[in-house]
Amino acid sequence: MSEIDPNAIAIIGMAGRFPGAKSASELWRNLLAGIESIERLDDAALEAAGVPEALRRSPNYVPACAYLEDPDRFDAALFQIAPREAELLDPQQRVFLEVAWEAFENAGHDPARFEGPIGVFAGAGKNHYAARVLSRNPAFLRAMGPVAETISGEKDFLATRVSYKLDLKGPSVSVQTACSTSLVAVHLAVQSLLSHECDMALAGGSSISSFQREGYTFIDGGIFSPDGHLRAFDAKAAGQVGGSGSAAVLLRRLEDAIDEGDDVRAVILGSALNNDGSAKVSFNAPGVEGQASVVAEALEVAGVEPDSIGYVECHGTGTRLGDPIEIAALTQAFRAGTARKGFCAIGSVKTNVGHLDAASGVTGLIKAANIVRFGEIPASLHFETPNPELGLEESPFFVAAERAGFQGTGPRRAGVSSFGMGGTNAHAVLEEPPARAARGAADPRRLLVVSARSEAGLERACVNLAGRLEEAGDSLSLADVAYTLQVGRRGFDHRRAVVAADPGEAIEALRGGGGVRGVLERSVLDAGRRVAFLFSGQGSQYAGMTRDLHGRFEVFREELDRVLALFREAAGVDLAPWILVDPSDEAAAAAAGEELARTQNTQPALFAVEWALAKLYGSFGIEPVAMLGHSIGEYVAATLAGVFELEDAVRLVAARGRWIGSLPSGAEEGAGAMLAVPLPLVEVERAIAESAQAGLEIAVVNAPELVVVGGPADALEGLRKELRGRKVAARKLVTSHAFHTSMMDPILD
C-alpha cells in the first residue's frame, strides 16, 4: 500500500495454544515443517485415559486426537484468582486469559499504559469440563454455589472476564456462531475499531473439548474422519478430526499502529459477515450462495480484485459435502472478477491441528497473516489426488500440496474463510505489512528487564525470553527488545535485569550466566517509591558529552540548546561545538577537551548538560523528591528547585566561571590543584600535618575513606609522592583550580 488506508486494520499481536504448539510462533514453525499434530494413540495411552477395552477393540473406534498440552495448568496468581475459583473456572476461559495476556505481550503493549479503550470480542466452545470433571465433585459445587458455577462455566462471561482481569474498558462481547466464532469475533473487532468505539481490540476464541488423550467413534455418513487424518480437498477426504486450542489476535487501526511504531504482522483490508438463511439442504449443511456472497463482499470492502489474491486459507474441513461447496462458492465469487485458472493456492490449517471449533477461524487467520508476512506457503497435508467434485482444473485454485514461496508480483494478499454450523459465514482479506524503516547497523549495550508476580514466574519469563532471542537469531534488534520490555510490559514485584551488547550475551545472562539479579518487595511503578537527583561538580566534563542524547531525544535537545543560547548571550562563548563534538574526530575532540578544561567554560557546560538531563528525566515521568549538588551541581539543583530563575542562574554561573577563571591555573605561578586520597579524614589530616608541603587544606570529604585535598599545585604534587611512598594511590583530579579552599578567597568580594 503506497498510502495508508484509513479503513485498514493492523494485526499487531498474535498468541495461542494449539495441538503440538505452545505459541503462535511454534505453530508457524510446525506448519512450515509439515508437522501433523493429530496424535495416534497406542493402547496403553487409551487405557490410561479410561477408554473401555470393548470400545478400544471396536472397528469404528479411531485412536486419534488433536490434544492441547497441559490444559489443566493455569497461572492463577498472575490474574489474582483464588485456587478454588480457578478450580471452578472452565479451562477454556483459563487458557484464553493467558492467551489474551500473551497477545498484549507479543504486541509490546501493556494495556494498563495504553491511552484509549480496548475492546474484547471472543467466544468459546461447549463447557465439557463441567460435565466431565466438576460433576464428579457435587460437594465442591454445592460449596461454591450455583451463581459462582454459572459465572465460571458459561460462555457468556469469556470476553467480560478478560476485560475485568486486564482492566479493559472498550466493548466486551462474547461471540457464539459455532465453528466461525473466532473469525466473526475478528470481524466485529474490525468494525468496532473503524467506528472508533475502541482504539485497540482483542479478538479470538477458545475450544477445549477433551482433557485426556482419547479417540472417537466413527459413524458412517457423519462428519468425522474414519482414519484420524483430515484430508482437505483430497479424493479420500471423508471427515474431520476435532481438536482443542485457544488463540487471539490484537488489532489496531493501521494509521495508529504505524504512527506509534507497532510491529505490524499483517493488514486486514476488509472483512464481511452473513448467513446462509434457508438456501441449503439442512440447518447444519453449508450453502454455496451464502459463502460466495461473503467472499465477494469482503473483496469489495477491501477494494481489491480477486486475481490479486495469491492464497486462501479455507475453512477446509475435509468432509465430502463441505469441500465441494466451499470451492464452488470461492470459484463463483472469484469468477465475478477474473477468468484466470490455477493462480491462487488454497490450504487448510485443520490438516495440521484438526478442527479447533470456536478457535479455528482465528487460527487460520494467524496462519494466513504469517503467509503474507513472510512469503512462505506451508503445505496443506494429506493431499494426493484432487477430489473430482471440486472442479479445481477449471477454477482459479490449486491446492498447496508442498511448501512453496508466494507467487505474484504485487503486494502479497490472502483470504481467510470460516463457516459456522448454522450458516454464519465470515471472510477476511489480508495484505502483507508495510515496509518498516531500516534499523541502525549496530546496537550498543542494552538493559533488558523482566518481571513476574512470583519467583517461579520470573524464571519462566527469563527462559521464555532467552528461547525467543535464540529462535529469532539476527532478525530481532536488541534495542527493540529492550524498549518493548520496558514500555510494553506490566511491571511486577519480582524482577531481573541484565545488560547485554548482543543476543548471545542476553541469552547467557537470562539463563543464569551473568547479569544483575534482584527480587524487589514492591514494584518501582508504585507511587510510594522516591527518587533523588545528584548533580556532579567540575571534573566530570568531557568533550562530546551527551552528543548521542542530543541527537536522540527532542526534550534534551531543546533544553540544552535553550541553555547554551543563554550562555552565548551571558558569557559570549558558544559551548555547543565542544559539548557536541564527534569523539571519533580525535583532533577536534582533543581541542574541545582543552577548551572544556578552562573553568569559565567547564562550569557553564556542566550546568547546561545537567539541566537538560534533569528535564529529560522529567519527560519520562521521573521527578525527584530531593536534590543534592556538588559545587556547580548545587546551582543546577537550586535552579530546578526554584531558588533562581533560569536566566538569573545562567548569568550567575557565567560570572562565577569568569571570576574563577581569572585566578592562576595550569602552569601559571600560584596555580592550585586537587588530590583525591583514599583514606579516612583523620589520617589525611595527619598526612598533611606531617608533610613538608605548605598551603594544603581539606577541600571535600566525599566518603568515610575518600577525602579531597586542595592547595598549590607544586605542594600537592609533593604530597602525592609522599603518599605513593606509603603505597597510598592518591589521584590528581582534572580541575583547573583548588576549589573549596582559601585559594578562592581573592574572588569572594
Side-chain angles (χ1 to χ4, degrees):
M1 297 177 300
S2 56
E3 297 181 2
I4 300 177
D5 181 352
N7 295 317
I9 299 297
I11 300 174
I12 62 170
M14 303 189 297
R17 311 280 179 81
F18 314 92
K22 294 182 179 180
S23 66
S25 58
E26 188 176 358
L27 171 68
W28 178 241
R29 291 196 299 273
N30 287 353
L31 295 178
L32 291 177
I35 294 173
E36 181 186 27
S37 296
I38 298 173
E39 186 179 357
R40 306 295 298 183
L41 304 168
D42 58 25
D43 202 56
L46 293 172
E47 184 177 6
V51 179
E53 184 178 1
L55 181 58
R56 301 199 308 265
R57 299 290 176 258
S58 169
N60 288 341
Y61 188 76
V62 182
C65 70
Y67 180 77
L68 188 66
E69 193 73 31
D70 297 329
D72 55 338
R73 301 290 180 89
F74 178 53
D75 191 352
L78 176 63
F79 302 100
Q80 297 179 306
I81 295 176
R84 286 171 67 82
E85 181 187 353
E87 185 179 353
L88 191 62
L89 187 60
D90 180 5
Q92 296 180 115
Q93 300 203 32
R94 294 184 214 161
V95 174
F96 192 74
L97 268 174
E98 294 181 331
V99 165
W101 182 279
E102 291 164 6
F104 281 102
E105 290 206 329
N106 182 260
H109 279 283
D110 175 4
R113 303 187 203 184
F114 185 75
E115 296 181 0
I118 301 175
V120 181
F121 302 84
K126 180 181 178 180
N127 184 355
H128 295 271
Y129 175 71
R132 300 186 61 180
V133 178
L134 292 179
S135 62
R136 300 173 185 171
N137 192 351
F140 173 68
L141 292 177
R142 285 194 300 270
M144 297 301 291
V147 174
E149 181 183 357
T150 299
I151 292 173
S152 297
E154 290 296 332
K155 297 183 284 189
D156 309 54
F157 305 105
L158 176 70
T160 49
R161 177 168 279 105
V162 172
S163 296
Y164 173 67
K165 286 299 180 181
L166 301 188
D167 193 24
L168 311 180
K169 298 182 174 66
S172 190
V173 181
S174 291
V175 181
Q176 297 302 327
T177 63
C179 318
S180 59
T181 290
S182 55
L183 196 61
V184 170
V186 170
H187 171 79
L188 296 177
V190 167
Q191 298 306 307
S192 185
L193 286 165
L194 293 179
S195 64
H196 290 258
E197 290 179 329
C198 60
D199 295 324
M200 188 180 287
L202 181 82
S206 191
S207 178
I208 301 177
S209 59
S210 177
F211 308 100
Q212 303 180 86
R213 287 179 164 84
E214 55 188 14
Y216 58 89
T217 300
F218 167 72
I219 300 174
D220 191 26
I223 63 172
F224 291 104
S225 167
D227 63 358
H229 296 293
L230 199 155
R231 306 174 184 276
F233 318 118
D234 191 77
K236 296 178 183 178
Q240 66 184 38
V241 179
S244 295
S246 186
V249 292
L250 195 62
L251 309 178
R252 198 173 186 188
R253 290 182 289 273
L254 179 61
E255 53 191 350
D256 294 341
I258 291 176
D259 284 346
E260 297 201 17
D262 287 322
D263 184 9
V264 178
R265 318 305 167 80
V267 177
I268 300 176
L269 296 179
S271 62
L273 181 65
N274 73 5
N275 190 274
D276 292 329
S278 59
K280 52 185 181 178
V281 298
S282 67
F283 173 75
N284 60 342
V288 173
E289 292 302 323
Q291 292 184 16
S293 176
V294 80
V295 173
E297 184 180 347
L299 289 168
E300 183 176 357
V301 171
V304 300
E305 294 298 322
D307 59 4
S308 72
I309 306 296
Y311 177 79
V312 174
E313 175 61 22
C314 295
H315 187 63
T317 55
T319 58
R320 291 188 177 97
L321 180 63
D323 284 359
I325 286 178
E326 180 168 12
I327 299 306
L330 276 172
T331 301
Q332 181 176 317
F334 272 55
R335 280 289 174 253
T338 181
R340 293 172 58 199
K341 299 178 183 179
F343 67 88
C344 181
I346 58 174
S348 173
V349 72
K350 294 178 179 67
T351 63
N352 301 86
V353 297
H355 190 344
L356 304 187
D357 191 53
S360 63
V362 71
T363 302
L365 183 78
I366 289 171
K367 174 185 173 183
N370 280 322
I371 286 173
V372 296
R373 183 185 188 191
F374 298 116
E376 287 277 339
I377 300 177
S380 193
L381 304 183
H382 310 304
F383 180 80
E384 297 173 353
T385 305
N387 183 339
E389 295 183 34
L390 303 182
L392 284 178
E393 63 280 355
E394 295 298 320
S395 80
F397 308 105
F398 67 94
V399 177
E402 297 180 353
R403 174 178 171 178
F406 201 98
Q407 301 300 311
T409 56
R412 294 189 292 270
R413 291 178 182 152
V416 184
S417 291
S418 190
F419 310 130
M421 189 175 290
T424 296
N425 308 307
H427 190 81
V429 177
L430 307 185
E431 184 174 278
E432 65 180 288
R436 299 189 71 186
R439 299 190 182 101
D443 282 327
R445 295 177 68 81
R446 300 290 176 178
L447 180 71
L448 308 182
V449 293
V450 185
S451 73
R453 287 197 189 275
S454 65
E455 288 191 59
L458 182 62
E459 293 297 334
R460 286 197 304 272
C462 289
V463 169
N464 290 343
L465 178 57
R468 178 70 181 98
L469 291 172
E470 195 167 53
E471 167 199 323
D474 295 332
S475 66
L476 277 181
S477 160
L478 203 60
D480 288 349
V481 173
Y483 177 84
T484 298
L485 289 172
Q486 293 187 44
V487 306
R489 293 289 187 273
R490 187 77 56 89
F492 295 116
D493 293 350
H494 295 264
R495 301 185 169 201
R496 183 172 300 166
V498 301
V499 177
D502 56 56
E505 279 189 12
I507 292 167
E508 180 184 2
L510 288 164
R511 288 176 173 166
V516 181
R517 179 179 178 176
V519 177
L520 307 184
E521 293 182 359
R522 58 180 179 175
S523 167
V524 296
L525 300 178
D526 182 351
R529 294 186 71 84
R530 300 185 299 168
V531 175
F533 282 180
L534 305 180
F535 298 87
S536 65
Q538 197 162 333
S540 57
Q541 77 281 354
Y542 60 92
M545 57 182 175
T546 70
R547 169 186 169 87
D548 287 346
L549 292 177
H550 188 270
R552 290 178 56 197
F553 295 103
E554 183 177 358
V555 170
F556 184 88
R557 182 166 56 251
E558 289 178 350
E559 292 294 334
L560 183 65
D561 291 350
R562 172 190 174 197
V563 179
L564 292 181
L566 292 173
F567 274 117
R568 277 196 297 272
E569 182 179 343
V573 61
D574 186 4
L575 303 166
W578 307 324
I579 294 175
L580 303 176
V581 68
D582 185 353
S584 65
D585 186 340
E586 295 183 3
E594 291 179 4
E595 291 293 341
L596 286 178
R598 299 172 61 199
T599 294
Q600 56 266 46
N601 297 332
T602 307
Q603 296 187 3
L606 286 173
F607 183 97
V609 165
E610 291 179 10
W611 170 275
L613 275 171
K615 291 295 184 178
L616 177 63
Y617 281 121
S619 73
F620 296 154
I622 304 173
E623 297 289 350
V625 297
M627 293 182 286
L628 183 67
H630 178 277
S631 192
I632 191 63
E634 193 170 5
Y635 288 78
V636 186
T639 308
L640 287 164
V643 175
F644 305 123
E645 294 294 333
L646 177 62
E647 291 76 9
D648 294 336
V650 165
R651 285 194 293 272
L652 177 56
V653 168
R656 182 180 188 269
R658 186 169 61 251
W659 292 330
I660 295 176
S662 67
L663 295 172
S665 64
E668 296 175 7
E669 185 177 350
M674 306 185 82
L675 186 73
V677 183
L679 292 174
L681 175 61
V682 292
E683 293 189 29
V684 177
E685 289 176 329
R686 186 182 305 118
I688 292 175
E690 294 174 353
S691 172
Q693 312 300 327
L696 298 178
E697 304 174 36
I698 301 295
V700 185
V701 180
N702 277 326
E705 295 189 359
L706 183 58
V707 177
V708 178
V709 177
D714 52 354
L716 206 70
E717 177 61 18
L719 176 63
R720 188 185 70 81
K721 291 178 179 178
E722 292 172 10
L723 290 170
R724 186 175 62 185
R726 294 168 49 186
K727 300 190 183 307
V728 176
R731 179 173 59 87
K732 187 176 180 182
L733 299 183
V734 185
T735 61
S736 54
H737 299 80
F739 299 106
H740 314 296
T741 71
S742 59
M743 295 190 76
M744 296 289 104
D745 288 354
I747 65 164
L748 288 184
D749 290 343

